[in-house]
């Protein structure tokens, strides 16, 4: 098993298994239902909209937590008001919807930060990461732990471009092209930033083994 992530031309991460299981048609099993929900939600189906919300909201909150800290839920609420208002005009598939929703959330976060006149923050520090993985598969461990507040604190310690790239690709689940659209950058730049960010996370986990072990064990 590889211990560090690599990126192919397609934008998929090799050596780190993080994307949803795909069917032979290229769509994930979960995406099949999400596509149906998106179609129904655009027609005004409230239950379908709630299904989309349950799919996207947890990922948006993790992303926004790194950008605006404790204000993530307020910013997400503002974003969802716009998403609900403009959904009828959205054109695209469920992956496009996730990217579109993330773009709206990021814009609301930037507006919030400008109003607050402060830099992105997150509660917690790198030292808060508990029981990190050993060196045998540190990049995978970094990806597997992104759902925890402590791991989000670790990601927040990365340079801004790397932190957002890792969050969008690994936490939100966008491909390089969609993440690049959110950030206003080229896909290659996003892949490079995410690659560097994951390697930094892996290096930190290698240097901080679980209690009772040394970095060489």
């Amino acid at each position: 098993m590889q211990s560090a992530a690599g990126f192919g031309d397609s934008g998929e991460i090799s050596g780190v298994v993080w994307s949803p299981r795909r069917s032979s048609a290229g769509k994930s099993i979960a995406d099949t239902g999400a596509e149906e929900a998106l179609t129904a939600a655009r027609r005004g189906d409230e239950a379908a909209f709630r299904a989309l919300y349950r799919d996207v909201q947890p990922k948006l909150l993790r992303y926004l937590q790194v950008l605006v800290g404790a204000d993530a839920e307020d910013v997400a609420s503002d974003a969802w008001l716009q998403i609900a208002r403009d959904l009828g005009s959205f054109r695209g598939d469920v992956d496009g919807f996730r990217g579109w929703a993330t773009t709206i959330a990021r814009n609301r976060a930037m507006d919030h930060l400008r109003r607050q006149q402060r830099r992105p923050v997150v509660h917690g520090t790198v030292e808060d990461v508990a029981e990190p993985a050993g060196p045998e598969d540190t990049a995978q461990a970094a990806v597997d732990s992104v759902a925890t507040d402590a791991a989000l604190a670790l990601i927040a310690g990365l340079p801004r471009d790397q932190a957002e790239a890792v969050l969008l690709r690994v936490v939100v689940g966008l491909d390089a092209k969609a993440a690049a659209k959110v950030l206003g950058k080229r896909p290659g730049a996003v892949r490079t930033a995410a690659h560097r960010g994951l390697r930094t996370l892996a290096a930190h986990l290698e240097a901080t083994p679980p209690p009772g072990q040394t970095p060489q064990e």
Side-chain angles (χ1 to χ4, degrees):
M1 184 176 292
Q2 298 180 24
S3 62
F7 292 79
D9 293 336
S10 66
E12 296 300 319
I13 300 180
S14 62
V16 177
V17 181
W18 61 270
S19 57
R21 184 163 59 93
R22 298 274 162 179
S23 68
S24 58
K27 286 288 184 183
S28 73
I29 301 303
D31 280 352
T32 302
E35 293 284 5
E36 295 174 354
L38 175 59
T39 299
R42 287 177 54 196
R43 295 196 300 261
D45 188 313
E46 293 185 5
F49 184 82
R50 286 195 295 270
L52 290 177
Y53 176 88
R54 287 193 296 269
D55 173 62
V56 176
Q57 172 72 347
K59 302 166 189 175
L60 278 187
L61 278 180
R62 292 166 192 155
Y63 175 55
L64 291 172
Q65 184 179 343
V66 172
L67 296 184
V68 299
D71 296 329
E73 290 197 9
D74 290 340
V75 172
S77 294
D78 288 342
W80 278 105
L81 287 175
Q82 181 178 346
I83 292 166
R85 184 191 69 205
D86 297 343
L87 181 59
S89 63
F90 171 76
R91 297 293 180 271
D93 60 11
V94 70
D95 285 336
F97 172 78
R98 290 169 183 146
W100 176 69
T102 303
T103 299
I104 291 174
R106 185 176 190 271
N107 289 340
R108 297 289 73 75
M110 296 302 103
D111 291 343
H112 178 80
L113 290 172
R114 281 191 288 270
R115 289 194 298 269
Q116 297 295 322
Q117 295 184 337
R118 59 182 173 84
R119 296 176 62 84
V121 297
V122 65
H123 295 288
T125 65
V126 169
E127 286 71 26
D128 291 331
V129 178
E131 297 187 2
E136 67 276 1
D137 192 16
T138 51
Q140 182 64 59
V143 173
D144 288 343
S145 66
V146 293
T148 69
D149 289 341
L152 291 178
L154 179 58
I155 293 172
L158 296 170
R160 174 67 174 275
D161 63 328
Q162 295 179 23
E164 287 207 71
V166 170
L167 287 165
L168 290 174
R169 299 219 54 208
V170 178
V171 178
V172 180
L174 302 182
D175 62 19
K177 184 176 180 180
K181 189 173 182 179
V182 171
L183 297 174
K185 297 181 178 181
R186 294 181 179 179
V190 173
R191 284 194 292 267
T192 297
H195 174 79
R196 290 173 176 169
L198 283 173
R199 284 190 177 278
T200 298
L201 295 178
H204 175 80
L205 291 173
E206 287 176 349
T208 315
Q213 293 185 14
T214 66
Q216 300 301 319
E217 289 181 347

